[in-house]
Each structure stands twice: as structure tokens, then as C-alpha cells.
Amino acid sequence: MICRDNLQFLRQRYYYATWKADGTRYMMLITMDGCFLIDRYFNIRRVQMRFPCRHTNKGLVEKTHYFTLLDGEMVIDTLPDTQKKQRRYLIYDTMAHNHVSVIERPFYQRWKMIDKEVIGPRNYERQHIYQSRNPYYRYELEPFRVRRKDFFLLSAVTKLLREFIPKLSHEADGLILQVVDDRELLYLHEGGKRELMEGNRVVFPEGHDPSDYSGKIIECSFDTDNQAWVWMRTRIDKRVPNNYNTYIKVLRSITDNITEDALLNEIHEIIRLPMYAHRIQNDSKDHVQHR
């Protein structure tokens, strides 16, 4: 609920806005064995829907989603031309993608995945099926349509309230403000748990989508001029990242920036200390005798 006291949060975090649809919330679980709708009372209903995975090269891919969990709401659209009622499922979040949890990723990444990994591949395949003489699946026979729910910049709230919402083909009863954390968060292991590397950031090569590296172990170098980690490669050979203590030691070493000359000068001074001078003298004698 929006009240005067919590309006201050809009000044502290970055928010997007969307409409509060007068619909029914459902989680959607997509498996290789079928698609299931789960309501808030945990009633489960199987529906005939198809969700192919995103293709990675030219041509179609037969693989479908395997344990992808989505969050959304079912609304009843009234078609403007015929006034016919039609159900539509609006997806607004991704909980898991192909058996991998994504709930700890920033919201904007999870929201982008809806179009990139779910809606996009469906539209791509459906377009090719329509052009085929022997379609192997008929999307038009599915029980309802599916789309990603739109989110708008906070600067567009006036237009959202006065122009967009009044033209919706389904009922809406308010506004939802969604906090968006668009930082690329870095984690290391500490005591069996993930430790957030607060204040750190990674720079990826131009044209690379940072969300493609989420959940992966990467190796970086440190750019001291820009105070940022620079991606070098993805470590597919490692199962867990370095621990937090290792990170602290590496960062301290980088910050201190001890050169070879500085190291040699320091050692030269140290070996002149009595505790070293005496030991070195004795060791030298033993070394000569053994030779």
C-alpha cells in the first residue's frame, strides 16, 4: 500500500511502475511432462501449453523448458471489436529457469528473462509454424494467451495512469511500484554461505550481456585506474569460487602494489636484522661444510 510515509523510499531506490490488474495470481511451472498452474491455495491444474527453449543457432530447437517457474496473473480481456471474453496470462517475474533458481538475481534481470527465454522463443516458433505446410503444433488451440507484463519508468507514471490504464482490455484497480536493483552483484563463499562483495563491480567486454554470467564463476583482473574488476574468462573448470578471505588478501596485495624492486629492497633491509644475520651466518657455514 502506498502512503505518505513510504513515499520516501522512491528517493532512496530505483523504481518501475506497472498497473495492478484485477486478476487471479498463478505460479506457472513448466516441465518436460507438461505445464501446470498453481494458485495461492496450492491447487494445481495441468494445461496444454508449449514453451520451447531459446534457439542458439539457425533453425528451430526441439528442446522445451525443464522446470522453469514463473509468476503472473490471469486476466479476462474483452476484445474491442467483438466484445468476446478471452483469458490472458501476464507474466511479471521468473523464479527458476531450466532447473536453476534465479530469485537472487536483480528483478530487472528476471523480468528481461521472461521475454528473452520464454515469450521470444514461443513467438519465434509460432511464426515458423504458421509458415509451415505441416504444422506440428497449433498455438491457437491453447486455453489462453501468454505475454510479459509491462513495467514503465517512474517518469511515465502520469501517462500510465491517464492514458494506458483507461485503454486496457481488462479491469485494473491501482498502481504497483516495483523496486529495481540494476547492480551486477558479486558473491564469494564464506563459511558455507555467499558473501556479497559490496562496492565492487565487474566490467564485461562490449556487446556482452552481464546477465549471461549470472550464477557462473568468473576470473577477473583489477583495473586500478577505474577501481573495477575486468572479466577475463569464465571458469567452467571450477565448481565453487574462492573464499572471502582469499579475496581480501588478493585485494590488499593489489592495493599495496609491491613491485619487484620494493620487495628486493625490503628483503635487503630485513636480512641485516640481528635475528636474520646470525641465522644466515650459521646456515652459510653448515652449507659450506656439507659441500
CSV table of all heavy atoms in Angstrom, one decimal, residues 201-246:
chain,number,residue,atom,x,y,z
A,201,ARG,N,32.4,-3.9,-8.6
A,201,ARG,CA,31.7,-4.1,-9.9
A,201,ARG,C,32.7,-4.7,-10.9
A,201,ARG,O,33.9,-4.7,-10.8
A,201,ARG,CB,31.3,-2.7,-10.4
A,201,ARG,CG,32.4,-1.8,-10.8
A,201,ARG,CD,31.8,-0.4,-11.2
A,201,ARG,NE,32.8,0.5,-11.6
A,201,ARG,CZ,33.2,0.8,-12.8
A,201,ARG,NH1,32.5,0.2,-13.8
A,201,ARG,NH2,34.1,1.6,-13.1
A,202,VAL,N,32.0,-5.4,-11.9
A,202,VAL,CA,32.8,-6.0,-13.0
A,202,VAL,C,32.5,-5.4,-14.3
A,202,VAL,O,31.3,-5.1,-14.6
A,202,VAL,CB,32.4,-7.5,-13.1
A,202,VAL,CG1,33.1,-8.2,-14.3
A,202,VAL,CG2,32.8,-8.3,-11.8
A,203,VAL,N,33.5,-5.2,-15.1
A,203,VAL,CA,33.4,-4.6,-16.5
A,203,VAL,C,33.5,-5.8,-17.5
A,203,VAL,O,34.5,-6.5,-17.5
A,203,VAL,CB,34.4,-3.5,-16.8
A,203,VAL,CG1,34.3,-3.0,-18.2
A,203,VAL,CG2,34.3,-2.4,-15.8
A,204,PHE,N,32.5,-6.0,-18.3
A,204,PHE,CA,32.5,-7.0,-19.3
A,204,PHE,C,32.8,-6.4,-20.7
A,204,PHE,O,32.6,-5.2,-20.9
A,204,PHE,CB,31.1,-7.7,-19.3
A,204,PHE,CG,30.8,-8.5,-18.1
A,204,PHE,CD1,30.0,-8.0,-17.1
A,204,PHE,CD2,31.3,-9.8,-17.9
A,204,PHE,CE1,29.7,-8.7,-15.9
A,204,PHE,CE2,31.0,-10.5,-16.8
A,204,PHE,CZ,30.2,-9.9,-15.8
A,205,PRO,N,33.3,-7.3,-21.6
A,205,PRO,CA,33.6,-6.8,-23.0
A,205,PRO,C,32.3,-6.2,-23.6
A,205,PRO,O,31.2,-6.5,-23.3
A,205,PRO,CB,34.0,-8.1,-23.7
A,205,PRO,CG,34.4,-9.0,-22.6
A,205,PRO,CD,33.6,-8.7,-21.4
A,206,GLU,N,32.6,-5.2,-24.5
A,206,GLU,CA,31.5,-4.5,-25.2
A,206,GLU,C,30.6,-5.5,-25.9
A,206,GLU,O,31.1,-6.4,-26.6
A,206,GLU,CB,32.0,-3.5,-26.1
A,206,GLU,CG,31.0,-2.6,-26.8
A,206,GLU,CD,31.6,-1.5,-27.7
A,206,GLU,OE1,32.8,-1.4,-27.6
A,206,GLU,OE2,30.8,-0.9,-28.4
A,207,GLY,N,29.3,-5.4,-25.8
A,207,GLY,CA,28.4,-6.3,-26.5
A,207,GLY,C,28.0,-7.5,-25.7
A,207,GLY,O,27.1,-8.3,-26.1
A,208,HIS,N,28.6,-7.7,-24.5
A,208,HIS,CA,28.3,-8.9,-23.7
A,208,HIS,C,27.2,-8.5,-22.7
A,208,HIS,O,27.3,-7.4,-22.1
A,208,HIS,CB,29.5,-9.4,-22.9
A,208,HIS,CG,30.5,-10.1,-23.7
A,208,HIS,ND1,31.1,-11.3,-23.3
A,208,HIS,CD2,31.1,-9.8,-25.0
A,208,HIS,CE1,32.0,-11.7,-24.3
A,208,HIS,NE2,32.0,-10.8,-25.3
A,209,ASP,N,26.2,-9.4,-22.5
A,209,ASP,CA,25.1,-9.1,-21.6
A,209,ASP,C,25.6,-9.7,-20.2
A,209,ASP,O,25.8,-10.9,-20.1
A,209,ASP,CB,23.9,-9.8,-22.1
A,209,ASP,CG,22.7,-9.5,-21.2
A,209,ASP,OD1,22.8,-8.9,-20.1
A,209,ASP,OD2,21.5,-9.8,-21.6
A,210,PRO,N,25.7,-8.8,-19.2
A,210,PRO,CA,26.1,-9.3,-17.9
A,210,PRO,C,25.2,-10.4,-17.3
A,210,PRO,O,25.7,-11.2,-16.6
A,210,PRO,CB,26.0,-8.0,-17.0
A,210,PRO,CG,26.2,-6.9,-18.0
A,210,PRO,CD,25.5,-7.4,-19.2
A,211,SER,N,23.9,-10.4,-17.7
A,211,SER,CA,23.0,-11.4,-17.2
A,211,SER,C,23.4,-12.8,-17.6
A,211,SER,O,23.0,-13.8,-17.0
A,211,SER,CB,21.6,-11.1,-17.6
A,211,SER,OG,21.4,-11.1,-19.0
A,212,ASP,N,24.1,-12.9,-18.7
A,212,ASP,CA,24.6,-14.2,-19.2
A,212,ASP,C,25.6,-14.9,-18.3
A,212,ASP,O,25.8,-16.1,-18.4
A,212,ASP,CB,25.2,-14.1,-20.6
A,212,ASP,CG,24.1,-13.7,-21.7
A,212,ASP,OD1,22.9,-14.0,-21.5
A,212,ASP,OD2,24.5,-13.2,-22.8
A,213,TYR,N,26.2,-14.1,-17.4
A,213,TYR,CA,27.2,-14.6,-16.5
A,213,TYR,C,26.7,-14.8,-15.1
A,213,TYR,O,27.4,-15.3,-14.2
A,213,TYR,CB,28.4,-13.6,-16.4
A,213,TYR,CG,29.1,-13.4,-17.7
A,213,TYR,CD1,28.7,-12.4,-18.6
A,213,TYR,CD2,30.1,-14.2,-18.1
A,213,TYR,CE1,29.3,-12.2,-19.8
A,213,TYR,CE2,30.8,-14.1,-19.3
A,213,TYR,CZ,30.4,-13.0,-20.2
A,213,TYR,OH,31.0,-12.8,-21.4
A,214,SER,N,25.4,-14.6,-14.9
A,214,SER,CA,24.8,-14.8,-13.6
A,214,SER,C,24.9,-16.2,-13.2
A,214,SER,O,24.6,-17.1,-13.9
A,214,SER,CB,23.3,-14.3,-13.6
A,214,SER,OG,23.2,-12.9,-13.7
A,215,GLY,N,25.3,-16.5,-11.9
A,215,GLY,CA,25.4,-17.8,-11.4
A,215,GLY,C,26.7,-18.5,-11.9
A,215,GLY,O,26.9,-19.7,-11.5
A,216,LYS,N,27.6,-17.9,-12.6
A,216,LYS,CA,28.8,-18.5,-13.1
A,216,LYS,C,30.0,-18.0,-12.4
A,216,LYS,O,30.0,-16.9,-11.8
A,216,LYS,CB,28.9,-18.3,-14.6
A,216,LYS,CG,27.8,-18.9,-15.5
A,216,LYS,CD,28.0,-18.6,-16.9
A,216,LYS,CE,26.9,-19.2,-17.8
A,216,LYS,NZ,27.0,-18.9,-19.2
A,217,ILE,N,31.0,-18.8,-12.3
A,217,ILE,CA,32.3,-18.4,-11.7
A,217,ILE,C,33.2,-17.8,-12.8
A,217,ILE,O,33.4,-18.3,-13.8
A,217,ILE,CB,33.0,-19.6,-11.1
A,217,ILE,CG1,32.1,-20.2,-10.0
A,217,ILE,CG2,34.4,-19.2,-10.5
A,217,ILE,CD1,32.7,-21.5,-9.5
A,218,ILE,N,33.6,-16.5,-12.5
A,218,ILE,CA,34.5,-15.8,-13.5
A,218,ILE,C,35.8,-15.4,-12.9
A,218,ILE,O,35.9,-15.3,-11.7
A,218,ILE,CB,33.8,-14.5,-14.0
A,218,ILE,CG1,33.5,-13.6,-12.8
A,218,ILE,CG2,32.5,-14.9,-14.7
A,218,ILE,CD1,32.9,-12.2,-13.3
A,219,GLU,N,36.8,-15.3,-13.7
A,219,GLU,CA,38.1,-14.9,-13.3
A,219,GLU,C,38.3,-13.5,-13.8
A,219,GLU,O,38.0,-13.1,-15.0
A,219,GLU,CB,39.2,-15.8,-13.9
A,219,GLU,CG,40.6,-15.5,-13.5
A,219,GLU,CD,41.6,-16.4,-14.0
A,219,GLU,OE1,41.3,-17.6,-14.2
A,219,GLU,OE2,42.8,-16.1,-14.2
A,220,CYS,N,38.9,-12.6,-13.0
A,220,CYS,CA,39.0,-11.2,-13.3
A,220,CYS,C,40.4,-10.6,-13.0
A,220,CYS,O,41.1,-11.2,-12.2
A,220,CYS,CB,38.0,-10.3,-12.5
A,220,CYS,SG,36.3,-10.8,-12.8
A,221,SER,N,40.7,-9.6,-13.7
A,221,SER,CA,41.9,-8.8,-13.3
A,221,SER,C,41.3,-7.5,-12.7
A,221,SER,O,40.2,-7.2,-12.8
A,221,SER,CB,42.8,-8.5,-14.5
A,221,SER,OG,42.0,-7.7,-15.5
A,222,PHE,N,42.2,-6.7,-12.1
A,222,PHE,CA,41.7,-5.4,-11.4
A,222,PHE,C,42.3,-4.2,-12.1
A,222,PHE,O,43.5,-4.1,-12.3
A,222,PHE,CB,42.1,-5.4,-9.9
A,222,PHE,CG,41.4,-4.4,-9.1
A,222,PHE,CD1,40.1,-4.5,-8.8
A,222,PHE,CD2,42.1,-3.2,-8.7
A,222,PHE,CE1,39.4,-3.5,-8.1
A,222,PHE,CE2,41.5,-2.2,-8.0
A,222,PHE,CZ,40.1,-2.4,-7.7
A,223,ASP,N,41.4,-3.3,-12.5
A,223,ASP,CA,41.8,-2.1,-13.1
A,223,ASP,C,41.9,-1.0,-12.0
A,223,ASP,O,40.9,-0.5,-11.6
A,223,ASP,CB,40.7,-1.7,-14.2
A,223,ASP,CG,41.1,-0.4,-14.9
A,223,ASP,OD1,42.0,0.3,-14.5
A,223,ASP,OD2,40.5,-0.1,-16.0
A,224,THR,N,43.1,-0.7,-11.7
A,224,THR,CA,43.3,0.2,-10.5
A,224,THR,C,42.9,1.7,-10.9
A,224,THR,O,42.5,2.4,-10.0
A,224,THR,CB,44.8,0.2,-10.1
A,224,THR,OG1,45.6,0.5,-11.3
A,224,THR,CG2,45.2,-1.1,-9.5
A,225,ASP,N,43.0,2.0,-12.2
A,225,ASP,CA,42.6,3.4,-12.6
A,225,ASP,C,41.1,3.6,-12.4
A,225,ASP,O,40.7,4.7,-11.9
A,225,ASP,CB,43.0,3.7,-14.0
A,225,ASP,CG,44.5,3.7,-14.2
A,225,ASP,OD1,45.2,4.0,-13.2
A,225,ASP,OD2,45.0,3.4,-15.3
A,226,ASN,N,40.3,2.6,-12.8
A,226,ASN,CA,38.9,2.7,-12.7
A,226,ASN,C,38.3,2.1,-11.5
A,226,ASN,O,37.0,2.1,-11.3
A,226,ASN,CB,38.2,2.2,-14.0
A,226,ASN,CG,38.6,2.9,-15.2
A,226,ASN,OD1,38.5,4.2,-15.3
A,226,ASN,ND2,39.1,2.3,-16.2
A,227,GLN,N,39.1,1.4,-10.7
A,227,GLN,CA,38.7,0.7,-9.5
A,227,GLN,C,37.6,-0.2,-9.8
A,227,GLN,O,36.5,-0.2,-9.2
A,227,GLN,CB,38.2,1.8,-8.4
A,227,GLN,CG,39.3,2.6,-7.8
A,227,GLN,CD,40.3,1.7,-7.0
A,227,GLN,OE1,39.9,1.1,-6.0
A,227,GLN,NE2,41.6,1.6,-7.5
A,228,ALA,N,37.8,-1.1,-10.8
A,228,ALA,CA,36.8,-2.1,-11.2
A,228,ALA,C,37.5,-3.4,-11.6
A,228,ALA,O,38.6,-3.4,-12.1
A,228,ALA,CB,36.0,-1.6,-12.3
A,229,TRP,N,36.8,-4.5,-11.4
A,229,TRP,CA,37.3,-5.8,-11.9
A,229,TRP,C,36.9,-5.9,-13.3
A,229,TRP,O,35.9,-5.5,-13.8
A,229,TRP,CB,36.6,-6.9,-11.1
A,229,TRP,CG,37.0,-6.9,-9.6
A,229,TRP,CD1,36.2,-6.4,-8.6
A,229,TRP,CD2,38.1,-7.4,-9.0
A,229,TRP,NE1,36.9,-6.5,-7.4
A,229,TRP,CE2,38.0,-7.2,-7.6
A,229,TRP,CE3,39.3,-8.1,-9.5
A,229,TRP,CZ2,39.0,-7.6,-6.7
A,229,TRP,CZ3,40.3,-8.5,-8.6
A,229,TRP,CH2,40.1,-8.2,-7.3
A,230,VAL,N,37.8,-6.5,-14.1
A,230,VAL,CA,37.6,-6.7,-15.5
A,230,VAL,C,37.6,-8.2,-15.9
A,230,VAL,O,38.5,-8.9,-15.5
A,230,VAL,CB,38.8,-6.0,-16.4
A,230,VAL,CG1,38.6,-6.2,-17.8
A,230,VAL,CG2,38.9,-4.6,-16.0
A,231,TRP,N,36.5,-8.6,-16.5
A,231,TRP,CA,36.3,-10.0,-16.8
A,231,TRP,C,37.4,-10.5,-17.7
A,231,TRP,O,37.8,-9.9,-18.7
A,231,TRP,CB,35.0,-10.2,-17.5
A,231,TRP,CG,34.7,-11.6,-18.0
A,231,TRP,CD1,34.1,-12.6,-17.2
A,231,TRP,CD2,35.0,-12.2,-19.2
A,231,TRP,NE1,34.0,-13.7,-18.0
A,231,TRP,CE2,34.5,-13.5,-19.2
A,231,TRP,CE3,35.5,-11.7,-20.4
A,231,TRP,CZ2,34.6,-14.4,-20.3
A,231,TRP,CZ3,35.7,-12.6,-21.5
A,231,TRP,CH2,35.2,-13.9,-21.4
A,232,MET,N,38.0,-11.7,-17.4
A,232,MET,CA,39.0,-12.3,-18.2
A,232,MET,C,38.5,-13.6,-18.9
A,232,MET,O,38.6,-13.8,-20.1
A,232,MET,CB,40.2,-12.6,-17.4
A,232,MET,CG,40.9,-11.4,-16.8
A,232,MET,SD,42.3,-11.9,-15.7
A,232,MET,CE,43.4,-12.8,-16.8
A,233,ARG,N,37.8,-14.4,-18.1
A,233,ARG,CA,37.3,-15.7,-18.6
A,233,ARG,C,36.3,-16.3,-17.6
A,233,ARG,O,36.3,-15.9,-16.4
A,233,ARG,CB,38.4,-16.7,-18.9
A,233,ARG,CG,39.2,-17.1,-17.7
A,233,ARG,CD,40.2,-18.2,-18.1
A,233,ARG,NE,41.1,-18.5,-17.0
A,233,ARG,CZ,41.7,-19.6,-16.8
A,233,ARG,NH1,41.5,-20.6,-17.6
A,233,ARG,NH2,42.6,-19.8,-15.8
A,234,THR,N,35.5,-17.2,-18.1
A,234,THR,CA,34.6,-17.9,-17.3
A,234,THR,C,35.2,-19.3,-16.9
A,234,THR,O,35.7,-20.0,-17.7
A,234,THR,CB,33.2,-18.2,-18.0
A,234,THR,OG1,32.7,-16.9,-18.4
A,234,THR,CG2,32.3,-19.0,-17.1
A,235,ARG,N,35.3,-19.5,-15.6
A,235,ARG,CA,35.9,-20.7,-15.1
A,235,ARG,C,35.0,-21.9,-15.0
A,235,ARG,O,34.4,-22.2,-14.0
A,235,ARG,CB,36.5,-20.5,-13.7
A,235,ARG,CG,37.6,-19.4,-13.7
A,235,ARG,CD,38.8,-19.9,-14.4
A,235,ARG,NE,39.4,-21.1,-13.9
A,235,ARG,CZ,40.3,-21.2,-13.0
A,235,ARG,NH1,40.8,-20.0,-12.4
A,235,ARG,NH2,40.7,-22.3,-12.5
A,236,ILE,N,34.8,-22.6,-16.2
A,236,ILE,CA,34.0,-23.8,-16.2
A,236,ILE,C,34.6,-25.0,-15.5
A,236,ILE,O,33.9,-26.0,-15.3
A,236,ILE,CB,33.6,-24.1,-17.7
A,236,ILE,CG1,34.9,-24.4,-18.5
A,236,ILE,CG2,32.9,-23.0,-18.3
A,236,ILE,CD1,34.7,-24.9,-19.9
A,237,ASP,N,35.9,-24.8,-15.2
A,237,ASP,CA,36.6,-26.0,-14.5
A,237,ASP,C,36.4,-25.9,-13.0
A,237,ASP,O,36.8,-26.9,-12.3
A,237,ASP,CB,38.1,-25.9,-14.9
A,237,ASP,CG,38.7,-24.6,-14.4
A,237,ASP,OD1,38.1,-23.5,-14.7
A,237,ASP,OD2,39.8,-24.6,-13.8
A,238,LYS,N,35.9,-24.8,-12.5
A,238,LYS,CA,35.7,-24.7,-11.0
A,238,LYS,C,34.2,-24.9,-10.6
A,238,LYS,O,33.3,-24.4,-11.3
A,238,LYS,CB,36.2,-23.4,-10.5
A,238,LYS,CG,37.7,-23.2,-10.7
A,238,LYS,CD,38.2,-21.9,-10.0
A,238,LYS,CE,38.1,-22.0,-8.5
A,238,LYS,NZ,38.7,-20.9,-7.8
A,239,ARG,N,34.0,-25.5,-9.5
A,239,ARG,CA,32.6,-25.7,-9.0
A,239,ARG,C,32.2,-24.7,-8.0
A,239,ARG,O,31.1,-24.4,-7.8
A,239,ARG,CB,32.5,-27.1,-8.4
A,239,ARG,CG,32.8,-28.3,-9.4
A,239,ARG,CD,32.6,-29.6,-8.9
A,239,ARG,NE,31.2,-29.8,-8.5
A,239,ARG,CZ,30.7,-30.9,-8.0
A,239,ARG,NH1,31.5,-31.9,-7.8
A,239,ARG,NH2,29.4,-31.1,-7.8
A,240,VAL,N,33.2,-24.2,-7.2
A,240,VAL,CA,32.9,-23.1,-6.2
A,240,VAL,C,34.0,-22.0,-6.4
A,240,VAL,O,35.1,-22.3,-6.7
A,240,VAL,CB,33.0,-23.7,-4.8
A,240,VAL,CG1,31.8,-24.7,-4.6
A,240,VAL,CG2,34.3,-24.3,-4.5
A,241,PRO,N,33.6,-20.8,-6.1
A,241,PRO,CA,34.5,-19.7,-6.2
A,241,PRO,C,35.5,-19.6,-5.0
A,241,PRO,O,35.3,-20.4,-4.1
A,241,PRO,CB,33.6,-18.4,-6.2
A,241,PRO,CG,32.4,-18.9,-5.4
A,241,PRO,CD,32.2,-20.3,-5.7
A,242,ASN,N,36.5,-18.8,-5.0
A,242,ASN,CA,37.4,-18.6,-3.9
A,242,ASN,C,36.6,-18.1,-2.7
A,242,ASN,O,35.5,-17.5,-2.8
A,242,ASN,CB,38.5,-17.6,-4.3
A,242,ASN,CG,39.5,-18.2,-5.3
A,242,ASN,OD1,39.6,-19.4,-5.4
A,242,ASN,ND2,40.1,-17.3,-6.1
A,243,ASN,N,37.2,-18.3,-1.5
A,243,ASN,CA,36.5,-17.8,-0.3
A,243,ASN,C,36.8,-16.3,-0.1
A,243,ASN,O,37.7,-15.7,-0.7
A,243,ASN,CB,36.9,-18.6,0.9
A,243,ASN,CG,38.4,-18.6,1.2
A,243,ASN,OD1,39.0,-17.5,1.3
A,243,ASN,ND2,39.0,-19.8,1.4
A,244,TYR,N,36.1,-15.7,0.8
A,244,TYR,CA,36.1,-14.3,1.0
A,244,TYR,C,37.5,-13.9,1.6
A,244,TYR,O,38.0,-12.8,1.2
A,244,TYR,CB,35.0,-13.9,2.0
A,244,TYR,CG,34.8,-12.4,2.1
A,244,TYR,CD1,34.1,-11.8,1.1
A,244,TYR,CD2,35.2,-11.7,3.2
A,244,TYR,CE1,33.9,-10.4,1.1
A,244,TYR,CE2,35.0,-10.3,3.2
A,244,TYR,CZ,34.3,-9.7,2.2
A,244,TYR,OH,34.1,-8.3,2.3
A,245,ASN,N,38.1,-14.7,2.4
A,245,ASN,CA,39.4,-14.3,2.9
A,245,ASN,C,40.5,-14.2,1.8
A,245,ASN,O,41.4,-13.4,1.9
A,245,ASN,CB,39.9,-15.3,4.0
A,245,ASN,CG,39.1,-15.2,5.3
A,245,ASN,OD1,38.6,-14.1,5.6
A,245,ASN,ND2,39.0,-16.3,6.0
A,246,THR,N,40.4,-15.1,0.8
A,246,THR,CA,41.3,-15.1,-0.3
A,246,THR,C,41.1,-13.8,-1.1
A,246,THR,O,42.1,-13.1,-1.5
A,246,THR,CB,41.1,-16.3,-1.2
A,246,THR,OG1,41.3,-17.5,-0.5
A,246,THR,CG2,42.0,-16.2,-2.4
